Amino acid sequence: MMEFQQALVLLKALQNTGCAFMIFGSFAKLLRGQTSVANDIDILVQPDTVNRVLQWLQDQGFTISAWDTIVTLPVDLKVSLTATDTRYYFRARRYDTHETYLQIDVLYQLAHDKWETLFERSMDVHGLRVMLADLVN
């Protein structure tokens, strides 16, 4: 089970690193008031910040994996693309007290123009960029 306030604090701290990201999926819906349940956080980052985001998450106690295999940082995205059969994400998971955990799926998009389009379709919620709909596909 994920704790909402803890997730917000973590996302704002990540934002303070200067790495741009957008939230989508069930946590975005939760932030927009469309659902009351989110089991993980999905974020979209640009490829040039993937390693910075993953390193920051690892420094915060997260284990980084790709398809249930622990990842050694920094990752070579070209190799990762081949290894993951063009599935563009890494998973960061940290267990905390009382059986709570935070899980963040870090998706990276290769086309810069798509990032710009998605960013234009996002909104500010609690000081974070949130996609208006799940447009990542």
Side-chain angles (χ1 to χ4, degrees), residues 33-48:
Q34 295 174 316
T35 185
S36 61
V37 178
N39 293 319
D40 67 354
I41 302 166
D42 299 297
I43 64 172
L44 175 67
V45 300
Q46 290 181 297
D48 61 347

Side-chain angles (χ1 to χ4, degrees), residues 19-20 49 61:
C19 294
T49 64

Side-chain angles (χ1 to χ4, degrees), residues 15 43-44 57 72 109 125:
Q15 184 176 9
I43 64 172
L44 175 67
L57 289 166
T72 301
Q109 186 61 34
V125 179

